[in-house]
Amino acid sequence: MAKYVARRLVLTVPSLAIVTVIVFSLVRIVPGSLAVALLGDDYSKEAEAKLNAELGLDGALPVQYVRWLRDLSQGDLGASLLDRRPVGELLAKRAPVTIQLSLMTLAFAMVIGLPIGLVSALKPNSPADFVLRSAAIFGLAAPSFWLATLFLVYAANWFGYSPPIFYAAPWSDLGTNLQMMLWPALISSVVGGAVIMRMTRAMMLEVIREDYIRTAYAKGLTQSYIVIRHALRNALIPVVTVFGLSVANILSGSVISETVFGLPGMGRLLVTSVLARDMPVVQAITIISAAVVMLVNIGIDLTYAYLDPRLRYS
Amino acid sequence: MRQATTVGTLEVLALGDRGLGARLLRRVGRFARRQPLGFIGAVIIALLMFVAAGAPLIAPSPPDEISTDRLVGPGQRGHLLGTDSLGRDVFSRVIYGARVSITVGFLAVGLSTTLAVVIGVTSGYAGGWADAIVQRFVDALMAFPGLVLLVALVAVFGPGITQLVLILGVVGSAGNARVFRSAVLAIRSNAYLEACVGLGASPLRVIVRHVLPNIFAPMMISVTVALGGIILAEAGLSFLGLGVPPPAASWGNMLSVDGRRFMLTAPWLAIVPGIAITLVVFAFNMLGDALRDVLDPRLRGRR
């Protein structure tokens, strides 16, 4: 186990280094020059030099990289080109929205996916199974931005619903906050719920065929006892890995749902920054989300190793 | 050879006499019976390609032709699916939108599969240090949430169909490279590969003649599933205003520009393109699932 953990951590270091190189390159592979593109008509030699210095684009590439990495490790993410504020400050305000939305999305996905997958697996090829599986297939295919748009149209037309315009933090006004976050989270959770449902179903079907389940039945145990104590425990181990994938998907989804529902999170900030070519903000969000995904995946792999005795004792 | 004893073989021989067409039809029929959802998927995809190819013949008007019939409801004044705020025919735009989806989808998947095969197969076949280094790059690319990286790359290269194909193709290659690498690792230690190497075949010959044909099944499956994913990603980017720029008709940007501003009074603007996207992604997913069942007997019956 210790060896596995060590190996897993050591392998992460080069990947993380490559992630930083990719994000570092983002600004530097802009066709032509970013400074020239940003300045447009205000172009002058001095202005270009000044902007390049501001963006950290002056000097040799290795020097730039080391400087950038040093700033990054000290939490200095540069300043936004739009309003000159430190990017760290901007993100600190936006991050709670995205974190809350992501956690709620993940929770909904589990609440939807696990029981449905279980029901589907216990009665394979029954009408219920067919309906639930079809729903999951639809959930995988329907784009969340479409579902969100439809929701806004029909909730407004039928119930006169419109999301609150001004964001409220959960600790200041929980009611307004939930009114804002509940629907985006529920709609974004459709994809994740469908993935978890399919995975749970597949794993349950596999486990139920195992010899030890037949043995348990032969011993005369009740079905609910077998399902909960023997089957589910083993079936859920691989489902844990889905969470790792889900984190990346949920962060992707937050870009869409925050934009559609007008939530002031990191995803919406990313879109507005891209439209304005505010590269320091784009870089910061890109590297933070990649780092989060990597960290969560390390956590998941270690949990997996702990949960699966075959890995724990090897 | 021709002394067929069992009924099954007799049937095959009889069919053989009826020719290739009948055999093909029979195989299609069997696929339709065993994988009804996959067959429906294939039919939808065939229909989509047909519509995309024949768009100018099928669409009643050019996709960007504006008229005074603004926000006309479905079925009224000769507009099957209504019109948008500029009086453009929604049916025509959905049909031309299929062209964008198909073009971006196939080109990007072509690019990503080519890259993935080159990276995955050489990395898996070479093994050792080269494999370890390449896989760390794949790890790094896979760490980025897909849409976040795509959006960031649009900030760098700007929106547009060419950029979209390149970005989607490169970003999409990482996951597939991993799949192909595992496929190669699975057959790497087989005796027939060792025999080839022993006979003095060059690595290139071994890969092209023996490895590639043996990973054809996972390739077909991942191409199908990737098409659905890329079409979805293109629609998402266009929806955010970062994909196919207007006035070109794409299902994603139809939902973004018009769908959102006028949808309260004209809900068909929000409904029609979404159904098109969902149907096509559903079709590719189902075909991918069916191919997996057919091509990989170990997974038969699992979903």
Side-chain angles (χ1 to χ4, degrees), chain A residues 4-5 8-9 12 15 238-249 251 289-305, chain B residues 138-145 178:
Chain A
Y4 171 81
V5 172
R8 181 69 182 79
L9 292 177
T12 309
S15 305
V239 177
V240 169
T241 54
V242 174
F243 295 147
L245 296 172
S246 298
V247 173
N249 287 336
L251 286 177
S289 52
V292 167
V293 171
M294 285 190 121
L295 285 177
V296 170
N297 274 303
I298 292 176
I300 300 246
D301 279 4
L302 298 186
T303 318
Y304 189 80
Chain B
V138 173
D139 275 346
L141 264 182
M142 288 175 76
F144 293 99
R178 181 66 40 94

mmCIF file of all heavy atoms in Angstrom, chain A residues 4-5 8-9 12 15 238-249 251 289-305, chain B residues 138-145 178:
data_model
loop_
_atom_site.group_PDB
_atom_site.id
_atom_site.type_symbol
_atom_site.label_atom_id
_atom_site.label_comp_id
_atom_site.label_asym_id
_atom_site.label_seq_id
_atom_site.Cartn_x
_atom_site.Cartn_y
_atom_site.Cartn_z
ATOM 1 N N TYR A 4 2.355 1.775 -3.269
ATOM 2 C CA TYR A 4 1.372 2.268 -4.238
ATOM 3 C C TYR A 4 1.166 3.768 -4.070
ATOM 4 O O TYR A 4 1.184 4.528 -5.034
ATOM 5 C CB TYR A 4 0.054 1.509 -4.049
ATOM 6 C CG TYR A 4 -1.097 2.071 -4.847
ATOM 7 C CD1 TYR A 4 -1.247 1.759 -6.198
ATOM 8 C CD2 TYR A 4 -2.014 2.938 -4.264
ATOM 9 C CE1 TYR A 4 -2.281 2.288 -6.936
ATOM 10 C CE2 TYR A 4 -3.057 3.468 -4.996
ATOM 11 C CZ TYR A 4 -3.189 3.137 -6.326
ATOM 12 O OH TYR A 4 -4.208 3.669 -7.049
ATOM 13 N N VAL A 5 1.011 4.208 -2.809
ATOM 14 C CA VAL A 5 0.796 5.628 -2.539
ATOM 15 C C VAL A 5 1.985 6.443 -3.023
ATOM 16 O O VAL A 5 1.834 7.463 -3.711
ATOM 17 C CB VAL A 5 0.565 5.864 -1.024
ATOM 18 C CG1 VAL A 5 0.527 7.348 -0.717
ATOM 19 C CG2 VAL A 5 -0.727 5.205 -0.594
ATOM 20 N N ARG A 8 2.075 6.660 -6.759
ATOM 21 C CA ARG A 8 1.014 7.538 -7.257
ATOM 22 C C ARG A 8 1.421 9.003 -7.105
ATOM 23 O O ARG A 8 1.202 9.806 -8.008
ATOM 24 C CB ARG A 8 -0.266 7.245 -6.470
ATOM 25 C CG ARG A 8 -1.470 8.056 -6.872
ATOM 26 C CD ARG A 8 -1.939 7.645 -8.257
ATOM 27 N NE ARG A 8 -3.077 8.452 -8.696
ATOM 28 C CZ ARG A 8 -2.981 9.673 -9.170
ATOM 29 N NH1 ARG A 8 -1.806 10.252 -9.276
ATOM 30 N NH2 ARG A 8 -4.054 10.342 -9.536
ATOM 31 N N LEU A 9 2.013 9.341 -5.964
ATOM 32 C CA LEU A 9 2.393 10.731 -5.714
ATOM 33 C C LEU A 9 3.558 11.143 -6.619
ATOM 34 O O LEU A 9 3.575 12.243 -7.162
ATOM 35 C CB LEU A 9 2.761 10.934 -4.241
ATOM 36 C CG LEU A 9 1.583 10.807 -3.261
ATOM 37 C CD1 LEU A 9 2.049 10.956 -1.827
ATOM 38 C CD2 LEU A 9 0.504 11.847 -3.580
ATOM 39 N N THR A 12 2.608 12.061 -10.084
ATOM 40 C CA THR A 12 1.853 13.299 -10.229
ATOM 41 C C THR A 12 2.761 14.488 -10.510
ATOM 42 O O THR A 12 2.390 15.413 -11.218
ATOM 43 C CB THR A 12 1.050 13.579 -8.942
ATOM 44 O OG1 THR A 12 0.320 12.403 -8.637
ATOM 45 C CG2 THR A 12 0.082 14.721 -9.136
ATOM 46 N N SER A 15 3.465 15.297 -14.173
ATOM 47 C CA SER A 15 2.226 15.720 -14.834
ATOM 48 C C SER A 15 1.868 17.153 -14.450
ATOM 49 O O SER A 15 1.492 17.958 -15.295
ATOM 50 C CB SER A 15 1.070 14.803 -14.458
ATOM 51 O OG SER A 15 1.398 13.476 -14.737
ATOM 52 N N PRO A 238 -15.737 0.477 -7.550
ATOM 53 C CA PRO A 238 -15.366 1.124 -8.821
ATOM 54 C C PRO A 238 -16.154 2.410 -9.082
ATOM 55 O O PRO A 238 -15.670 3.279 -9.797
ATOM 56 C CB PRO A 238 -15.713 0.078 -9.881
ATOM 57 C CG PRO A 238 -15.932 -1.189 -9.165
ATOM 58 C CD PRO A 238 -16.336 -0.840 -7.783
ATOM 59 N N VAL A 239 -17.352 2.506 -8.497
ATOM 60 C CA VAL A 239 -18.151 3.720 -8.719
ATOM 61 C C VAL A 239 -17.423 4.946 -8.158
ATOM 62 O O VAL A 239 -17.559 6.051 -8.675
ATOM 63 C CB VAL A 239 -19.554 3.562 -8.094
ATOM 64 C CG1 VAL A 239 -20.371 4.833 -8.243
ATOM 65 C CG2 VAL A 239 -20.293 2.410 -8.765
ATOM 66 N N VAL A 240 -16.607 4.711 -7.116
ATOM 67 C CA VAL A 240 -15.839 5.806 -6.524
ATOM 68 C C VAL A 240 -14.999 6.520 -7.593
ATOM 69 O O VAL A 240 -14.870 7.739 -7.598
ATOM 70 C CB VAL A 240 -14.936 5.271 -5.394
ATOM 71 C CG1 VAL A 240 -13.942 6.324 -4.942
ATOM 72 C CG2 VAL A 240 -15.785 4.834 -4.220
ATOM 73 N N THR A 241 -14.447 5.718 -8.512
ATOM 74 C CA THR A 241 -13.584 6.327 -9.532
ATOM 75 C C THR A 241 -14.365 7.295 -10.413
ATOM 76 O O THR A 241 -13.790 8.213 -10.970
ATOM 77 C CB THR A 241 -12.939 5.262 -10.436
ATOM 78 O OG1 THR A 241 -13.993 4.450 -10.961
ATOM 79 C CG2 THR A 241 -11.965 4.417 -9.692
ATOM 80 N N VAL A 242 -15.660 7.073 -10.536
ATOM 81 C CA VAL A 242 -16.463 7.966 -11.361
ATOM 82 C C VAL A 242 -16.422 9.391 -10.817
ATOM 83 O O VAL A 242 -16.441 10.355 -11.568
ATOM 84 C CB VAL A 242 -17.922 7.468 -11.440
ATOM 85 C CG1 VAL A 242 -18.796 8.457 -12.175
ATOM 86 C CG2 VAL A 242 -17.965 6.134 -12.134
ATOM 87 N N PHE A 243 -16.310 9.500 -9.485
ATOM 88 C CA PHE A 243 -16.265 10.841 -8.903
ATOM 89 C C PHE A 243 -15.079 11.623 -9.446
ATOM 90 O O PHE A 243 -15.167 12.821 -9.657
ATOM 91 C CB PHE A 243 -16.198 10.764 -7.373
ATOM 92 C CG PHE A 243 -17.430 10.164 -6.776
ATOM 93 C CD1 PHE A 243 -17.370 9.398 -5.635
ATOM 94 C CD2 PHE A 243 -18.667 10.377 -7.367
ATOM 95 C CE1 PHE A 243 -18.514 8.841 -5.088
ATOM 96 C CE2 PHE A 243 -19.812 9.826 -6.834
ATOM 97 C CZ PHE A 243 -19.733 9.052 -5.687
ATOM 98 N N GLY A 244 -13.972 10.921 -9.654
ATOM 99 C CA GLY A 244 -12.796 11.596 -10.198
ATOM 100 C C GLY A 244 -13.099 12.218 -11.547
ATOM 101 O O GLY A 244 -12.767 13.370 -11.808
ATOM 102 N N LEU A 245 -13.752 11.422 -12.398
ATOM 103 C CA LEU A 245 -14.130 11.935 -13.712
ATOM 104 C C LEU A 245 -15.174 13.037 -13.561
ATOM 105 O O LEU A 245 -15.162 14.029 -14.290
ATOM 106 C CB LEU A 245 -14.715 10.812 -14.567
ATOM 107 C CG LEU A 245 -13.773 9.674 -14.918
ATOM 108 C CD1 LEU A 245 -14.533 8.546 -15.585
ATOM 109 C CD2 LEU A 245 -12.679 10.183 -15.826
ATOM 110 N N SER A 246 -16.086 12.840 -12.584
ATOM 111 C CA SER A 246 -17.172 13.796 -12.417
ATOM 112 C C SER A 246 -16.661 15.186 -12.098
ATOM 113 O O SER A 246 -17.229 16.171 -12.549
ATOM 114 C CB SER A 246 -18.109 13.348 -11.306
ATOM 115 O OG SER A 246 -18.685 12.117 -11.655
ATOM 116 N N VAL A 247 -15.579 15.277 -11.311
ATOM 117 C CA VAL A 247 -15.098 16.597 -10.926
ATOM 118 C C VAL A 247 -14.752 17.420 -12.161
ATOM 119 O O VAL A 247 -15.151 18.579 -12.289
ATOM 120 C CB VAL A 247 -13.879 16.464 -9.993
ATOM 121 C CG1 VAL A 247 -13.269 17.820 -9.727
ATOM 122 C CG2 VAL A 247 -14.309 15.824 -8.699
ATOM 123 N N ALA A 248 -14.025 16.808 -13.109
ATOM 124 C CA ALA A 248 -13.692 17.531 -14.342
ATOM 125 C C ALA A 248 -14.966 17.910 -15.093
ATOM 126 O O ALA A 248 -15.107 19.045 -15.565
ATOM 127 C CB ALA A 248 -12.782 16.677 -15.218
ATOM 128 N N ASN A 249 -15.904 16.962 -15.189
ATOM 129 C CA ASN A 249 -17.136 17.246 -15.917
ATOM 130 C C ASN A 249 -17.962 18.342 -15.244
ATOM 131 O O ASN A 249 -18.558 19.175 -15.919
ATOM 132 C CB ASN A 249 -17.987 15.979 -16.039
ATOM 133 C CG ASN A 249 -17.386 15.020 -17.033
ATOM 134 O OD1 ASN A 249 -16.631 15.440 -17.921
ATOM 135 N ND2 ASN A 249 -17.684 13.746 -16.897
ATOM 136 N N LEU A 251 -16.836 20.764 -13.346
ATOM 137 C CA LEU A 251 -16.208 22.068 -13.559
ATOM 138 C C LEU A 251 -16.499 22.561 -14.981
ATOM 139 O O LEU A 251 -16.753 23.743 -15.205
ATOM 140 C CB LEU A 251 -14.700 21.990 -13.305
ATOM 141 C CG LEU A 251 -14.306 21.894 -11.831
ATOM 142 C CD1 LEU A 251 -12.808 21.735 -11.678
ATOM 143 C CD2 LEU A 251 -14.773 23.126 -11.070
ATOM 144 N N SER A 289 -8.250 24.996 -12.090
ATOM 145 C CA SER A 289 -9.172 23.876 -12.288
ATOM 146 C C SER A 289 -8.399 22.582 -12.562
ATOM 147 O O SER A 289 -8.784 21.517 -12.085
ATOM 148 C CB SER A 289 -10.179 24.178 -13.393
ATOM 149 O OG SER A 289 -9.534 24.590 -14.555
ATOM 150 N N ALA A 290 -7.292 22.676 -13.314
ATOM 151 C CA ALA A 290 -6.507 21.465 -13.563
ATOM 152 C C ALA A 290 -5.910 20.942 -12.267
ATOM 153 O O ALA A 290 -5.901 19.730 -12.019
ATOM 154 C CB ALA A 290 -5.406 21.742 -14.582
ATOM 155 N N ALA A 291 -5.425 21.861 -11.423
ATOM 156 C CA ALA A 291 -4.823 21.437 -10.151
ATOM 157 C C ALA A 291 -5.869 20.768 -9.270
ATOM 158 O O ALA A 291 -5.601 19.738 -8.644
ATOM 159 C CB ALA A 291 -4.203 22.640 -9.440
ATOM 160 N N VAL A 292 -7.078 21.346 -9.244
ATOM 161 C CA VAL A 292 -8.154 20.757 -8.433
ATOM 162 C C VAL A 292 -8.464 19.340 -8.914
ATOM 163 O O VAL A 292 -8.561 18.401 -8.118
ATOM 164 C CB VAL A 292 -9.419 21.644 -8.485
ATOM 165 C CG1 VAL A 292 -10.619 20.896 -7.927
ATOM 166 C CG2 VAL A 292 -9.192 22.933 -7.726
ATOM 167 N N VAL A 293 -8.590 19.191 -10.248
ATOM 168 C CA VAL A 293 -8.894 17.863 -10.790
ATOM 169 C C VAL A 293 -7.805 16.865 -10.405
ATOM 170 O O VAL A 293 -8.078 15.736 -9.987
ATOM 171 C CB VAL A 293 -9.061 17.934 -12.322
ATOM 172 C CG1 VAL A 293 -9.155 16.532 -12.907
ATOM 173 C CG2 VAL A 293 -10.292 18.738 -12.676
ATOM 174 N N MET A 294 -6.543 17.280 -10.508
ATOM 175 C CA MET A 294 -5.445 16.366 -10.168
ATOM 176 C C MET A 294 -5.479 15.972 -8.697
ATOM 177 O O MET A 294 -5.331 14.802 -8.352
ATOM 178 C CB MET A 294 -4.107 17.027 -10.485
ATOM 179 C CG MET A 294 -3.809 17.058 -11.964
ATOM 180 S SD MET A 294 -2.113 17.567 -12.245
ATOM 181 C CE MET A 294 -1.530 16.141 -13.120
ATOM 182 N N LEU A 295 -5.669 16.967 -7.823
ATOM 183 C CA LEU A 295 -5.688 16.684 -6.388
ATOM 184 C C LEU A 295 -6.833 15.739 -6.034
ATOM 185 O O LEU A 295 -6.640 14.772 -5.304
ATOM 186 C CB LEU A 295 -5.824 17.987 -5.592
ATOM 187 C CG LEU A 295 -4.564 18.840 -5.525
ATOM 188 C CD1 LEU A 295 -4.815 20.140 -4.791
ATOM 189 C CD2 LEU A 295 -3.444 18.052 -4.841
ATOM 190 N N VAL A 296 -8.028 16.039 -6.587
ATOM 191 C CA VAL A 296 -9.172 15.182 -6.294
ATOM 192 C C VAL A 296 -8.898 13.756 -6.769
ATOM 193 O O VAL A 296 -9.202 12.785 -6.074
ATOM 194 C CB VAL A 296 -10.456 15.740 -6.932
ATOM 195 C CG1 VAL A 296 -11.580 14.731 -6.823
ATOM 196 C CG2 VAL A 296 -10.850 17.039 -6.283
ATOM 197 N N ASN A 297 -8.281 13.640 -7.938
ATOM 198 C CA ASN A 297 -8.016 12.300 -8.456
ATOM 199 C C ASN A 297 -7.005 11.535 -7.626
ATOM 200 O O ASN A 297 -7.107 10.324 -7.472
ATOM 201 C CB ASN A 297 -7.589 12.368 -9.918
ATOM 202 C CG ASN A 297 -8.799 12.372 -10.830
ATOM 203 O OD1 ASN A 297 -9.624 11.465 -10.779
ATOM 204 N ND2 ASN A 297 -8.942 13.408 -11.612
ATOM 205 N N ILE A 298 -6.012 12.258 -7.071
ATOM 206 C CA ILE A 298 -5.086 11.594 -6.139
ATOM 207 C C ILE A 298 -5.875 11.076 -4.939
ATOM 208 O O ILE A 298 -5.756 9.918 -4.546
ATOM 209 C CB ILE A 298 -4.001 12.573 -5.646
ATOM 210 C CG1 ILE A 298 -3.078 12.958 -6.802
ATOM 211 C CG2 ILE A 298 -3.195 11.948 -4.521
ATOM 212 C CD1 ILE A 298 -2.057 13.995 -6.422
ATOM 213 N N GLY A 299 -6.723 11.956 -4.407
ATOM 214 C CA GLY A 299 -7.536 11.572 -3.256
ATOM 215 C C GLY A 299 -8.380 10.346 -3.557
ATOM 216 O O GLY A 299 -8.457 9.408 -2.767
ATOM 217 N N ILE A 300 -8.986 10.334 -4.751
ATOM 218 C CA ILE A 300 -9.857 9.220 -5.136
ATOM 219 C C ILE A 300 -9.046 7.930 -5.268
ATOM 220 O O ILE A 300 -9.469 6.869 -4.798
ATOM 221 C CB ILE A 300 -10.536 9.544 -6.470
ATOM 222 C CG1 ILE A 300 -11.370 10.800 -6.311
ATOM 223 C CG2 ILE A 300 -11.302 8.347 -6.984
ATOM 224 C CD1 ILE A 300 -12.815 10.648 -6.433
ATOM 225 N N ASP A 301 -7.876 8.030 -5.893
ATOM 226 C CA ASP A 301 -7.056 6.831 -6.075
ATOM 227 C C ASP A 301 -6.631 6.253 -4.731
ATOM 228 O O ASP A 301 -6.596 5.035 -4.545
ATOM 229 C CB ASP A 301 -5.819 7.157 -6.916
ATOM 230 C CG ASP A 301 -6.151 7.187 -8.386
ATOM 231 O OD1 ASP A 301 -7.345 7.030 -8.720
ATOM 232 O OD2 ASP A 301 -5.241 7.365 -9.207
ATOM 233 N N LEU A 302 -6.297 7.153 -3.796
ATOM 234 C CA LEU A 302 -5.886 6.672 -2.481
ATOM 235 C C LEU A 302 -7.069 6.043 -1.744
ATOM 236 O O LEU A 302 -6.935 4.995 -1.114
ATOM 237 C CB LEU A 302 -5.289 7.821 -1.651
ATOM 238 C CG LEU A 302 -4.020 8.435 -2.255
ATOM 239 C CD1 LEU A 302 -3.419 9.465 -1.308
ATOM 240 C CD2 LEU A 302 -2.981 7.369 -2.591
ATOM 241 N N THR A 303 -8.252 6.667 -1.855
ATOM 242 C CA THR A 303 -9.453 6.087 -1.253
ATOM 243 C C THR A 303 -9.725 4.715 -1.840
ATOM 244 O O THR A 303 -10.051 3.762 -1.143
ATOM 245 C CB THR A 303 -10.675 6.986 -1.533
ATOM 246 O OG1 THR A 303 -10.285 8.338 -1.368
ATOM 247 C CG2 THR A 303 -11.819 6.660 -0.616
ATOM 248 N N TYR A 304 -9.584 4.645 -3.164
ATOM 249 C CA TYR A 304 -9.823 3.396 -3.883
ATOM 250 C C TYR A 304 -8.893 2.306 -3.357
ATOM 251 O O TYR A 304 -9.314 1.192 -3.075
ATOM 252 C CB TYR A 304 -9.586 3.636 -5.365
ATOM 253 C CG TYR A 304 -9.988 2.505 -6.256
ATOM 254 C CD1 TYR A 304 -11.324 2.325 -6.610
ATOM 255 C CD2 TYR A 304 -9.053 1.621 -6.761
ATOM 256 C CE1 TYR A 304 -11.699 1.298 -7.429
ATOM 257 C CE2 TYR A 304 -9.419 0.587 -7.590
ATOM 258 C CZ TYR A 304 -10.744 0.429 -7.913
ATOM 259 O OH TYR A 304 -11.121 -0.598 -8.726
ATOM 260 N N ALA A 305 -7.614 2.685 -3.213
ATOM 261 C CA ALA A 305 -6.636 1.717 -2.714
ATOM 262 C C ALA A 305 -7.018 1.251 -1.313
ATOM 263 O O ALA A 305 -6.853 0.091 -0.963
ATOM 264 C CB ALA A 305 -5.250 2.345 -2.700
ATOM 265 N N VAL B 138 -0.085 12.855 -21.431
ATOM 266 C CA VAL B 138 -1.514 12.519 -21.553
ATOM 267 C C VAL B 138 -2.231 12.812 -20.236
ATOM 268 O O VAL B 138 -3.309 13.412 -20.219
ATOM 269 C CB VAL B 138 -1.679 11.042 -21.966
ATOM 270 C CG1 VAL B 138 -3.150 10.637 -21.938
ATOM 271 C CG2 VAL B 138 -1.103 10.815 -23.356
ATOM 272 N N ASP B 139 -1.590 12.438 -19.113
ATOM 273 C CA ASP B 139 -2.144 12.744 -17.789
ATOM 274 C C ASP B 139 -2.430 14.231 -17.662
ATOM 275 O O ASP B 139 -3.499 14.638 -17.209
ATOM 276 C CB ASP B 139 -1.134 12.376 -16.687
ATOM 277 C CG ASP B 139 -1.223 10.919 -16.303
ATOM 278 O OD1 ASP B 139 -2.227 10.286 -16.680
ATOM 279 O OD2 ASP B 139 -0.298 10.420 -15.638
ATOM 280 N N ALA B 140 -1.431 15.031 -18.051
ATOM 281 C CA ALA B 140 -1.543 16.481 -17.888
ATOM 282 C C ALA B 140 -2.716 17.012 -18.713
ATOM 283 O O ALA B 140 -3.523 17.797 -18.225
ATOM 284 C CB ALA B 140 -0.250 17.161 -18.314
ATOM 285 N N LEU B 141 -2.830 16.554 -19.962
ATOM 286 C CA LEU B 141 -3.922 17.033 -20.809
ATOM 287 C C LEU B 141 -5.274 16.617 -20.246
ATOM 288 O O LEU B 141 -6.254 17.348 -20.329
ATOM 289 C CB LEU B 141 -3.770 16.485 -22.222
ATOM 290 C CG LEU B 141 -3.079 17.395 -23.231
ATOM 291 C CD1 LEU B 141 -3.037 16.732 -24.595
ATOM 292 C CD2 LEU B 141 -3.811 18.734 -23.332
ATOM 293 N N MET B 142 -5.306 15.403 -19.658
ATOM 294 C CA MET B 142 -6.583 14.902 -19.142
ATOM 295 C C MET B 142 -6.965 15.566 -17.825
ATOM 296 O O MET B 142 -8.105 15.442 -17.382
ATOM 297 C CB MET B 142 -6.539 13.380 -18.985
ATOM 298 C CG MET B 142 -6.566 12.673 -20.333
ATOM 299 S SD MET B 142 -6.369 10.900 -20.192
ATOM 300 C CE MET B 142 -7.986 10.431 -19.625
ATOM 301 N N ALA B 143 -6.009 16.268 -17.194
ATOM 302 C CA ALA B 143 -6.325 16.920 -15.926
ATOM 303 C C ALA B 143 -7.205 18.139 -16.135
ATOM 304 O O ALA B 143 -7.939 18.535 -15.237
ATOM 305 C CB ALA B 143 -5.039 17.320 -15.206
ATOM 306 N N PHE B 144 -7.136 18.746 -17.322
ATOM 307 C CA PHE B 144 -7.953 19.938 -17.554
ATOM 308 C C PHE B 144 -9.408 19.543 -17.776
ATOM 309 O O PHE B 144 -9.686 18.647 -18.572
ATOM 310 C CB PHE B 144 -7.464 20.684 -18.798
ATOM 311 C CG PHE B 144 -6.115 21.295 -18.655
ATOM 312 C CD1 PHE B 144 -4.987 20.657 -19.154
ATOM 313 C CD2 PHE B 144 -5.953 22.507 -18.004
ATOM 314 C CE1 PHE B 144 -3.730 21.214 -19.024
ATOM 315 C CE2 PHE B 144 -4.702 23.074 -17.870
ATOM 316 C CZ PHE B 144 -3.588 22.429 -18.377
ATOM 317 N N PRO B 145 -10.336 20.231 -17.080
ATOM 318 C CA PRO B 145 -11.742 20.008 -17.426
ATOM 319 C C PRO B 145 -11.919 20.392 -18.896
ATOM 320 O O PRO B 145 -11.487 21.476 -19.303
ATOM 321 C CB PRO B 145 -12.484 20.968 -16.510
ATOM 322 C CG PRO B 145 -11.539 21.286 -15.408
ATOM 323 C CD PRO B 145 -10.170 21.192 -15.991
ATOM 324 N N ARG B 178 -4.953 7.125 -24.628
ATOM 325 C CA ARG B 178 -4.902 6.209 -23.493
ATOM 326 C C ARG B 178 -5.602 4.882 -23.823
ATOM 327 O O ARG B 178 -5.111 3.802 -23.510
ATOM 328 C CB ARG B 178 -5.551 6.931 -22.305
ATOM 329 C CG ARG B 178 -5.645 6.284 -21.003
ATOM 330 C CD ARG B 178 -4.384 5.985 -20.237
ATOM 331 N NE ARG B 178 -3.273 6.884 -20.175
ATOM 332 C CZ ARG B 178 -3.053 7.784 -19.231
ATOM 333 N NH1 ARG B 178 -3.897 7.943 -18.266
ATOM 334 N NH2 ARG B 178 -1.981 8.514 -19.226
#
